Amino acid sequence: SSTITSPITTPIVFESFGRYATASGDQLGRGPLPPRVGIETKYWVFWHVGGTINELTNVQIEGTLANGVTFTGRQSSSQNSGVEYDATTNTISWSTDSIAPNLSPTSKIIGVAFELAITPDASMVGATPTLLYDIRITGTDARTGAFVSHSGSSVTTNLPNDLMAGEKGNVEE
């Protein structure tokens, strides 16, 4: 009998989330919690890529800053250079030529982090402002040649899993 092989296009586990403090409670962000009108609060956004079974090539992650949100320039990346900010399109992007398969629990998860700031105005009182939206990852599965993409969650000032910022996302006077 002959063997039939059919390559599988890699899945992507893509996480997009905000933090004011690390999972262990170390403060990352700066400024008042909950955010206050006229005072800047800074948050960190994290993008994690994992769960791939094949190499990904020509990978790009991109998100759009909401109105009134600024990129501070502070950032960190586990691979390649950091993020780039395009003032014309108001987008943050990160790219790499390839990401190695990382489904194994001992594999390196690719991580990118950067700081965003918001100074709420009076029209935001009682609201939970969006910091970053329309977040997506795209790339090519190196084994199958298939285009792969996945959307990430929008990031707001509502950070329910954050020890310091949980329940403190609505803007106050």
Side-chain angles (χ1 to χ4, degrees), residues 30-107:
R30 297 287 181 256
L33 286 176
R36 295 186 50 205
V37 171
I39 304 173
E40 181 180 72
T41 300
K42 296 177 180 178
Y43 299 88
W44 278 80
V45 173
F46 292 83
W47 288 338
H48 291 170
V49 181
T52 60
I53 57 174
N54 299 331
E55 177 187 8
L56 285 176
T57 59
N58 303 314
V59 178
Q60 170 127 355
I61 304 174
E62 186 175 272
T64 304
L65 274 66
N67 289 335
V69 176
T70 57
F71 172 59
T72 68
R74 295 184 68 199
Q75 58 185 292
S76 176
S77 174
S78 67
Q79 178 175 311
N80 286 10
S81 60
V83 298
E84 294 182 15
Y85 172 66
D86 183 331
T88 306
T89 60
N90 208 29
T91 57
I92 297 278
S93 62
W94 177 82
S95 60
T96 185
D97 291 336
S98 71
I99 292 177
N102 56 16
L103 181 63
S104 166
T106 59
S107 296

Side-chain angles (χ1 to χ4, degrees), residues 10-15 48-53 56 137-139 148-150:
T10 191
I12 300 175
V13 176
F14 176 53
E15 297 177 294
H48 291 170
V49 181
T52 60
I53 57 174
L56 285 176
I137 181 172
T138 59
V148 292
S149 68
H150 193 74

Side-chain angles (χ1 to χ4, degrees), residues 138-160:
T138 59
T140 303
D141 184 307
R143 183 161 185 219
T144 66
F147 174 79
V148 292
S149 68
H150 193 74
S151 294
S153 299
S154 292
V155 178
T156 71
T157 57
N158 179 29
L159 306 172

Side-chain angles (χ1 to χ4, degrees), residues 156-168:
T156 71
T157 57
N158 179 29
L159 306 172
N161 299 318
D162 191 295
L163 295 173
M164 293 181 89
E167 307 292 323
K168 297 176 183 173

